[in-house]
Amino acid sequence: MTENPDLSRIRNIGIMAHIDAGKTTTTERMLYYTGKVHRMGEVDKGTATMDWMSQEQERGITITSAATTCLWKDIVINVIDTPGHVDFTAEVERSLRVLDGAIGIFCAVAGVQPQTETVWRQADRYDVPRIAYVNKMDRVGADYFRVISMIEDNLGSSPVILQLPIGAEDCFTGLINLINLKAYVYNDDTGDNFTIRSLETEEMQAAQEYRNILLEKISEHDDEILEKYLEGQNITEAEIIAALRKLTIKNMLVPVLCGSSFKNKGVQMLLDAIVDYLPSPMDIPPVKGINTVTGEETARLTGLQEPMCALAFKVVTDPYVGKLTYFRVYSGIVKSGSVIFNSNKNNRERISKILKMHANHQEVADQIGAGEIAAAVGLRNTFTGDTLCSEDAPIILESMNFPQPVVDIAIEPKTKADQDKIGESLRRLAEEDPTFRTKINEETGQTIISGMGELHLEIIIDRLVREFKVNANVGKPQVAYKESVSKETRAEARFEKQTGGRGQFAHVVLKICPLPEGQGNKFINQLGGDVIPGEFILAVETGVREALQAGVLAGYPVDDIEVSRVGGSFHEVDSTELAFKVAGSMAVKELLTNAEPILLEPIMDIEIVSPEEYLGDIISDLNARRGRVLGFEENRETRIVKGNVPLAETFGYATSLRSASQGRASFSMDLSNYAEVPESKSKQIIAKRYGLLV
């Protein structure tokens, strides 16, 4: 691999899907067929290259996104294998932010699942071109065409079929390529030995039918193909691939392929599709950001001669080299030992070493250029979302938005030695993971850690013990409730203090009103600067925002409200920023009390897959947990229940579901929204919060 390969010969791609759709298995096969590894690892046996953490190997799931590089047909493919569990959705978010293309993997039996929809929406947000790969075609109940319909209906995409399966379930032996009208039949389960043959009569009829559909879909967007198609002219393979590549990169079509990664069928064709249809760094639009000097939007072209510009998208703690910062270079060249500028922090950093990553194995590089992904050693103050650039061409790229944590637990060190280590260990873990937060409960003095779910926090605690050698007592998971208000109201606060000399004076009139769910908190100044000077208005906002950290019902953070400053006055001599900050805080407390405060709880979308005979007990249990059933879907062997349920009612649900279904049912959850807690439940939560209810 050259130091700075031709940019058109690079593919930066991610593997994304619902948990257990086969992402890591597919990645393992890609590494094997490209010669990167010489033996295929297996997730179930804990030998997968990309699942290198001990926690991943024990649980058989991907927890952290792992990056690697391989070579296929002289094309450099940088691959990031992302987690499928909803608790680790931040890993998908930050990977998609820096990738040029993605492979969405779908289980041929389950089709589009909740987390599939989540990651697909994340890819939509970053406008990432995609290929769909329908995996597990050898499984009982596999239905290729049902999955394609779900991609169209549930995800709102425009799938275009490039392959037809030969056989299904146990009889899945290969696939038909609709572009060259050839059959690829596998002779054994190694995937290395397959025969390419002409199509039989029945196969040709089906292939011609679906090939025409393929050409019609391309013709809708490509005039040259349309003209040839209408005139009955021969359309070459190269023309179809070129047109399809263009439309895939524009996100107009999603090519669909099929296979069985575990049985080693179809992966080489998937590698071909990555090369043929997914974009190189040269195919994506120039990255845009804000020039920190002029404040204007500016674009940075992809090229080695451009000013250097990169985005840090992940931080990990390595036991050997310390802090590793993963970054994607958008323009220019980054050299080992060079000084770069962190435009978010407005400071210089020195890169002591550049590493190309293969999961947790490292390869030292002297430099990397535009379009490449690597990790840096030596960046002390650079974190997820920070822009790295040339100091003489400063730019800040769009960062990433991460969801708020929804589960809290209290954690206490067991010994004095653990006490000394726990703060630093938690800080380093929070640096790595933007969805993990820590805080001190001022009333109890306990350390509270917050995350995206029970599994997320379980992994954090496991890492504390194994990596950081910290032993701790852990409380039960608690829901991260929020507070809001249900009506509009006004309040006036006057802060006066006279101490003999210069006093303190501030007078504010504020209005509060509820906002739609998901809007966050807003502070609006409705008066001109002549009524109260600007620096005092900022002080009021600071006081307001600090007061909103703890609501009046149970001390939970207040969300989705708008606070407006509608009146007030100041004293030429006695008014200070501190006085206005205190007055703003006082007014907010009164507003929250008078605006009919409400408690909000996280509601989870839930999908339960179960044999039909257990549905009655499962639905009864869901109803008892304040859940709602929204719909059913039928599969050959199972039934799918879709609904929602408050997060507070789901702790320990896995055990309950296994018990109700003799271990044959499974479920997945995803955060849907926050909703008002019923009054009776709200009273219990508030009483428990203040120790009135045990």
Side-chain angles (χ1 to χ4, degrees):
M1 225 171 283
T2 57
E3 274 295 328
N4 284 304
D6 175 5
L7 297 184
S8 66
R9 309 196 76 78
I10 294 176
R11 303 288 182 272
N12 293 313
I13 64 155
I15 312 286
M16 62 182 200
H18 187 89
I19 191 169
D20 205 31
K23 295 178 301 300
T24 303
T25 301
T26 302
T27 309
E28 290 297 316
R29 274 38 178 188
M30 290 167 61
L31 295 178
Y32 174 75
Y33 293 122
T34 57
K36 186 73 178 184
V37 297
H38 302 293
R39 197 175 79 187
M40 286 183 254
E42 301 295 350
V43 174
D44 294 344
K45 295 178 182 176
T47 57
T49 308
M50 304 300 273
D51 284 351
W52 56 270
M53 291 174 68
S54 54
Q55 292 87 349
E56 294 176 314
Q57 293 165 358
E58 289 167 8
R59 292 167 175 81
I61 62 170
T62 301
I63 291 168
T64 182
S65 53
T68 189
T69 302
C70 53
L71 201 62
W72 182 253
K73 294 186 176 178
D74 203 29
I75 298 290
V76 177
I77 303 175
N78 295 316
V79 185
I80 295 184
D81 176 26
T82 66
H85 197 287
V86 64
D87 283 16
F88 308 105
T89 190
E91 290 290 323
V92 185
E93 182 82 19
R94 56 182 169 193
S95 298
L96 287 172
R97 171 65 180 84
V98 298
L99 292 171
D100 302 328
I103 301 168
I105 298 185
F106 299 82
C107 172
V109 180
V112 174
Q113 297 169 277
Q115 187 64 4
T116 318
E117 295 186 30
T118 301
V119 297
W120 205 263
R121 286 196 302 270
Q122 288 173 307
D124 283 338
R125 189 158 59 245
Y126 294 117
D127 211 21
V128 177
R130 276 146 279 178
I131 290 173
Y133 173 65
V134 182
N135 190 26
K136 303 191 178 184
M137 287 298 301
D138 60 308
R139 289 269 300 276
V140 174
D143 190 336
Y144 183 51
F145 296 102
R146 172 180 170 267
V147 177
I148 293 166
S149 296
M150 292 178 79
I151 292 172
E152 191 163 18
D153 298 338
N154 297 16
L155 302 179
S157 293
S158 184
V160 54
I161 299 172
L162 303 192
Q163 296 172 345
L164 295 178
I166 299 175
E169 301 180 351
D170 290 345
C171 300
F172 176 66
T173 56
L175 45 90
I176 295 168
N177 185 330
L178 296 180
I179 295 178
N180 64 10
L181 293 176
K182 297 285 185 184
Y184 294 73
V185 182
Y186 288 85
N187 304 319
D188 55 37
D189 278 345
T190 67
D192 290 311
N193 303 313
F194 57 88
T195 303
I196 303 175
R197 62 165 173 81
S198 300
L199 301 183
E200 296 169 2
T201 306
E202 283 186 13
E203 291 174 336
M204 182 61 83
Q205 287 177 348
Q208 286 287 10
E209 179 188 341
Y210 282 99
R211 192 176 198 267
N212 286 336
I213 294 171
L214 165 63
L215 292 173
E216 285 170 11
K217 285 204 170 187
I218 295 174
S219 299
E220 290 174 10
H221 308 284
D222 190 301
D223 292 340
E224 290 180 22
I225 299 288
L226 175 63
E227 190 176 333
K228 284 194 169 189
Y229 181 66
L230 292 176
E231 292 176 1
Q233 295 181 36
N234 178 50
I235 302 171
T236 66
E237 291 177 40
E239 287 174 324
I240 296 174
I241 291 172
L244 200 48
R245 175 181 180 79
K246 202 182 303 178
L247 295 173
T248 303
I249 291 171
K250 289 181 178 177
N251 261 319
M252 292 178 174
L253 295 177
V254 177
V256 183
L257 300 92
C258 63
S260 169
S261 297
F262 185 66
K263 294 290 178 67
N264 310 310
K265 294 178 173 69
V267 178
Q268 295 98 323
M269 291 72 173
L270 178 60
L271 284 161
D272 288 340
I274 292 169
V275 170
D276 289 341
Y277 307 120
L278 290 181
S280 74
M282 297 300 291
D283 295 315
I284 61 170
V287 67
K288 292 182 179 178
I290 301 297
N291 184 310
T292 57
V293 176
T294 64
E296 296 176 356
E297 186 176 80
T298 183
R300 200 56 61 82
L301 298 172
T302 302
L304 302 178
Q305 308 308 317
E306 295 290 314
M308 193 278 286
C309 166
L311 183 73
F313 67 94
K314 181 173 177 173
V315 174
V316 297
T317 302
D318 186 277
Y320 304 107
V321 299
K323 183 177 165 185
L324 270 180
T325 306
Y326 284 75
F327 63 101
R328 156 76 190 262
V329 184
Y330 285 98
S331 62
I333 295 174
V334 181
K335 296 183 178 181
S336 181
S338 63
V339 175
I340 57 175
F341 185 66
N342 182 328
S343 53
N344 293 80
K345 303 289 194 301
N346 199 32
N347 64 12
R348 298 182 187 91
E349 294 257 47
R350 180 179 293 279
I351 294 182
S352 57
K353 194 184 291 184
I354 294 174
L355 303 172
K356 289 187 176 181
M357 304 300 295
H358 175 49
N360 61 330
H361 300 293
Q362 303 158 355
E363 174 191 334
V364 178
D366 292 331
Q367 64 180 44
I368 66 160
E372 293 190 88
I373 293 172
V377 179
L379 302 181
R380 295 185 178 181
N381 298 309
T382 297
F383 303 104
T384 299
D386 285 355
T387 301
L388 305 171
C389 59
S390 304
E391 192 168 3
D392 55 358
I395 186 173
I396 292 183
L397 304 178
E398 180 192 357
S399 191
M400 291 157 266
N401 295 315
F402 297 104
Q404 295 291 319
V406 293
V407 177
D408 297 343
I409 58 174
I411 184 169
E412 293 178 339
K414 283 187 176 179
T415 66
K416 180 69 170 70
D418 293 323
Q419 174 78 52
D420 296 338
K421 290 190 290 186
I422 194 167
E424 175 63 16
S425 303
L426 290 174
R427 184 188 65 78
R428 287 164 69 182
L429 287 168
E431 283 180 2
E432 288 188 24
D433 187 347
T435 58
F436 172 64
R437 312 278 171 83
T438 67
K439 62 183 178 185
I440 304 294
N441 185 319
E442 293 182 4
E443 295 173 9
T444 63
Q446 286 180 308
T447 299
I448 307 295
I449 62 175
S450 308
M452 298 305 297
E454 287 181 274
L455 179 61
H456 185 197
L457 294 179
E458 182 186 316
I459 299 297
I460 291 284
I461 291 160
D462 197 17
R463 290 188 63 195
L464 269 180
V465 174
R466 294 195 194 191
E467 291 177 37
F468 297 95
K469 311 294 186 227
V470 175
N471 290 303
N473 296 315
V474 180
K476 290 182 179 179
Q478 302 289 326
V479 176
Y481 293 100
K482 293 180 182 178
E483 296 184 26
S484 193
V485 299
S486 53
K487 76 168 190 178
E488 185 178 308
T489 189
R490 292 163 64 107
E492 186 173 356
R494 188 183 295 269
F495 179 71
E496 291 182 89
K497 201 170 184 181
Q498 204 65 39
T499 54
R502 181 178 171 181
Q504 299 275 1
F505 176 84
H507 171 225
V508 295
V509 183
L510 302 180
K511 182 178 77 173
I512 195 171
C513 63
L515 291 175
E517 198 260 329
Q519 294 287 309
N521 294 331
K522 296 180 181 177
F523 180 85
I524 295 174
N525 178 46
Q526 295 185 346
L527 297 176
D530 54 332
V531 179
I532 293 179
E535 65 269 23
F536 295 156
I537 294 170
L538 286 174
V540 173
E541 181 175 358
T542 302
V544 167
R545 293 196 182 278
E546 285 184 7
L548 294 179
Q549 296 300 309
V552 295
L553 283 179
Y556 291 109
V558 182
D559 201 13
D560 295 330
I561 62 161
E562 180 180 282
V563 178
S564 307
R565 193 181 71 80
V566 295
S569 59
F570 75 104
H571 189 278
E572 289 283 356
V573 177
D574 290 349
S575 287
T576 63
E577 290 183 31
L578 176 62
F580 273 95
K581 180 180 171 184
V582 173
S585 180
M586 289 165 56
V588 165
K589 292 295 183 187
E590 186 177 337
L591 285 171
L592 294 176
T593 303
N594 298 333
E596 296 180 5
I598 55 174
L599 202 59
L600 302 175
E601 64 179 342
I603 305 296
M604 311 299 287
D605 282 332
I606 188 167
E607 184 174 287
I608 305 162
V609 181
S610 169
E612 187 171 14
E613 60 261 38
Y614 306 114
L615 281 189
D617 289 344
I618 288 170
I619 291 169
S620 296
D621 182 49
L622 193 63
N623 290 334
R625 294 172 182 271
R626 295 194 287 129
R628 287 193 309 154
V629 175
L630 301 178
F632 298 90
E633 279 185 21
E634 291 191 14
N635 222 330
R636 285 191 194 178
E637 305 289 321
T638 58
R639 298 293 178 267
I640 300 170
V641 181
K642 294 190 173 185
N644 55 40
V645 61
L647 176 65
E649 307 293 342
T650 64
F651 296 131
Y653 184 62
T655 305
S656 175
L657 185 64
R658 277 197 296 269
S659 174
S661 65
Q662 297 181 13
R664 294 174 63 194
S666 61
F667 78 102
S668 56
M669 293 193 306
D670 192 5
L671 178 64
S672 170
N673 62 292
Y674 270 77
E676 184 176 352
V677 180
E679 188 177 355
S680 59
K681 195 74 181 174
S682 178
K683 287 179 179 176
Q684 290 179 21
I685 294 166
I686 295 167
K688 191 173 181 180
R689 180 78 163 172
Y690 290 113
L692 303 175
L693 190 68
V694 179

